[in-house]
Every structure is written in structure tokens, then in C-alpha cells.
Amino acid sequence: MRSVDPGSGFESWRVAAKRLLAENVDPAQVLWEKETDAGLFGPNTVAETGAAYGTNVPADFVELARSVSCHCDPSRWALLYRILWRIVKDGERRLCMIASDPDIAKALRMQKNVRREIHKMHAFVRFRLMETDEMTGRETYAAWIEPEHHVVEASAPFFRNRFANMDWSIFTPKGCAHWDGSKLSFTPGIEKSPIGNEDALELAWKTYYRSIFNPARVKVKMMQTEMPKKYWKNLPEAELIGELIEESRQRVQGMHEEQPRLVKPVARNAYLGELKAMSNVVPCTGPSGEQTLEQLAKAAESCRGCPLWKDATNVVFGEGPENARIMIVGEQPGDKEDIAGKAFIGPAGRLLDEALEEAGIDRSTVYVTNAVKHFKWKPKDTPRGKIRLHQSPGKGEIDACRPWVLAELQRIAPDILILLGGTAARSLLEREVKITKERGLIDAGSLAKRVLLTVHPSYLLRVPGSERKSAERQLFINDLKLVVPR
Ligand code: URA
């Protein structure tokens, strides 16, 4: 029996696994040790192991292994090595495509758990303002959350993109993430929330400060000009400075002098607006981590995150099986949907149903929802009387509703996510999207295994001329066929 240390995560496991393969060590002969959480986020993990990328294994295995390695089950390393062995030594190169294989089925379940956990992080991290720097006015936010799996690193880029212009730390027992406006860094997990406990918070921030301290760049004189000594006494990390400078004299040897990095300018209003949008949406009851889909739908009835509820008849929440492999996100309910309280039952819904059927997708197996849950309209007089004229939701309304869509996505954790039109894309990709430019399968990080971006069916209703209409309809069906589960 060979006892092997998987190291601090996917990259170091990969190096160890590659070595074992080269030595022909059978999976049954390997005892993978349990890594400690302190080992995660250790220094230089990637740099030390970058060479491991040379292994010639199918890309679908690498993607699966990356997710599975974030799972908390200690048996994951043995499972991954067994799958790797079967691919490389037994020549089962298409193994990852066989969902019924017991090893793959287990790995896919783990991947799904990890994806759900990442979505949970995205939806339920709540930042609190911790301090405002007296000299610069810059504010620091902190959040505490207890994920079940090791998803802090995987979910951190989402927060960096959304809250790029504020300093923040997310503390968790499975590792902590920190953003200083220019760089993400990670420190080991802590057992209890430091928020509200000044000593614990100081300690957590000292650990972070130690992790980002770069001895090659210590210029004591410069530091004192930037941050005069008289201020040091109020900074938790300041008492480390002397000690770190001393240590740096040894650590600096062998390190190359780095070019200074440009620090992004701060535009604070942007993130304050975001934070407001995030927190305004939940003045009442949800979404929260524990609610079922049914409870979420109920909680959304009392959402006052934007003014659209005032003119709507019903909140229209998503519908479909909780274990759906496909989730479809549209724009917002229309007139018919608003009255019935059900998504996609009007003309656009009928077109969607037909297209799904022609593509070979059974709507009853799909979870269907909208980016915005209330109907936005304005009254219009027509020869046939007054009608409620559809209005496209604005950015603020899309942002305010996003936590609900993320909560649905987290519960469903679909393999396939279909975004119909610009509003759905803006909601989940969090950027302006030109459908004509990006239409098709897109890379959308951890949202789902496959993400399809396509037109909204109501666009097809508006296309002029029967020939063009039917051509556009066919293109839409072709798009849907790209994600038909086999
Ligand atoms: N359009 C949508 O985006 N959603 C609906 O539910 C109906 C029309």
C-alpha cells in the first residue's frame, strides 16, 4: 500500500496522480491521505505544480476533476485517480461521457453538489461594512458564510467582478478570500465568524496581511511616507510590519524584483449601487439558503426590491421539476402570465413549447423561469380599447431580481442553462450582451455545464415576412438542438 498526500487541492493532486501513473501504481494500492483545510490555500500551490498540465487526458475529465476536487468527501481523490487510471491505462478515453458508469455517476453527483454550493455562495454572501479608512475614505466590507465544500476559490471571481471597486473579505471555515481592489488572495479557513468579534477580525486580517506581504517590494522609507508610523497603532496588521520586514531580508533572496502593478481607480458609487440592489431586494423574507423552491416562490410575493410589484397582478416565479437538467430563463412575464401567475403561457410561451418539442425537449422536464418576476407595462389606448403595453425591464429591475434567479439556479443546479434574449443574459452573465454576436453555446464559468444563449421567442413573433419568420424559427430550433440531452 502506498500512502500519498493529495496536497492542497486539484493542482497538487494532479502532480501526485501523474507520478503514480508514471510508476504504474494501481489505484487499489494507493491510500490517499486526508488533506487538512490549513493546507488549502497554502502558498505557491499553482506555481509549484504548473508543470503537471502536460498530462494528456481528455478535457472533459479535467473539467470534472476540477469540480470534484472541491467536494468535501475525502474519498474524492481515490475516485479521481481510479477514473484517471481507467482513461489512461485501460484506454477508456470516453469514460466521462458514460453517465451510467458507477464511478462517473458518483463524480457527476459530486460535481452537481459543488456547483450548487458555488451558486449558494453567489446568492447568499451578504457583505457588511466593517470600517472606513480615515485617510482615504475607502471602505472595507466583510462577510461570513459556511459552505459545505471547498468552493471559496471557485466562487471568488464572481465577487471580484461584481464588487471590483470595494475592499472585501469573505470569511469561511473552508478558506477565506480577500480583494483589495487589484488582487484576489486566499487564506486558510477560520472556525467562527470574526464579524462582531474585534479580536477575531483583527487576527483574520493579520493572516491576510501576512499572505499578501511581498518581501521583495518592501521599501521601508516609502511605506512610512504612504502610511506614516503614527497611524500604525490603529491598524491590526501594523504590528506585523517589523516582524515581516525582518523575515523579508531572508525571503527576498532568490526572488525576482516584480514590476509594480497598476491599481484600479476606485469608483465607489458603482458598488454601493450594487449593494443596495442586493440588499433592497430582501427587506421581507427571502431568498435565504434554506428555502425550498416553493418557499422561495412564496417569499417572492412580498419582494419590494423594485417598484414593479405595484402594477403587477401576480409575481410569476419559475416552474418545473426540482431535478430538471435544463433550466430556461426568459425576460419577464407578459400580460397573460401576469394574470395567471404562470411563466410562458401566452403567445411567446406557445412558440417556445413548439420549438422545444421540435428540438426533442419535453417541456414538462424543464424548469422555466424569468429574469424579472413582475410584468412591466404601461397603458396604451388602441382602437380595440386600452391595453397593457409591454416595457423592457431596466438594469435596476434586472439587478434587483437577480438574487431570486440565482436562488432558483442554485436549487435546480441544471446541467444546461438556456438564456432567452438580452435580459436573461444580462441577469445571469452580469454584462451587456449582443445576442446576434454571441448566440450559441458560451463559456459562462460555473453557471452550468453548458450555457446556451439564444433569441427570445417573442423576437420570432415580431420578425416580418413569413419566409424570414420561418427561417428564424428554424435557427432557434437548431440552437435548442445544441443542448438536447442524449
Ligand atoms: N416572455 C417571457 O420572457 N416570459 C414569459 O413568461 C412570457 C413572455
Side-chain angles (χ1 to χ4, degrees), residues 330-334 337 343-344 348 370 456:
E331 184 198 59
Q332 62 168 350
E337 288 81 8
F344 279 107
N370 284 302
H456 191 284

Side-chain angles (χ1 to χ4, degrees), residues 59-73:
D60 57 1
F61 170 73
V62 178
E63 191 197 328
L64 183 65
R66 257 185 212 291
S67 298
V68 170
S69 65
C70 298
H71 203 279
C72 65
D73 184 340

Side-chain angles (χ1 to χ4, degrees), residues 316 329-338 342-349 352 363 368-372 390 420 423 456-458:
V316 180
V329 184
E331 184 198 59
Q332 62 168 350
D335 184 68
K336 295 244 172 348
E337 288 81 8
D338 170 73
K342 284 179 168 302
F344 279 107
I345 57 155
L352 176 65
R363 173 161 172 180
V368 179
T369 192
N370 284 302
V372 172
H390 165 277
L420 300 177
T423 298
H456 191 284
S458 57

Side-chain angles (χ1 to χ4, degrees), residues 167-186:
D167 290 352
W168 51 255
S169 290
I170 300 172
F171 298 106
T172 92
K174 296 251 185 309
C176 307
H178 312 269
W179 171 251
D180 66 358
S182 66
K183 187 165 160 273
L184 266 179
S185 51
F186 301 94

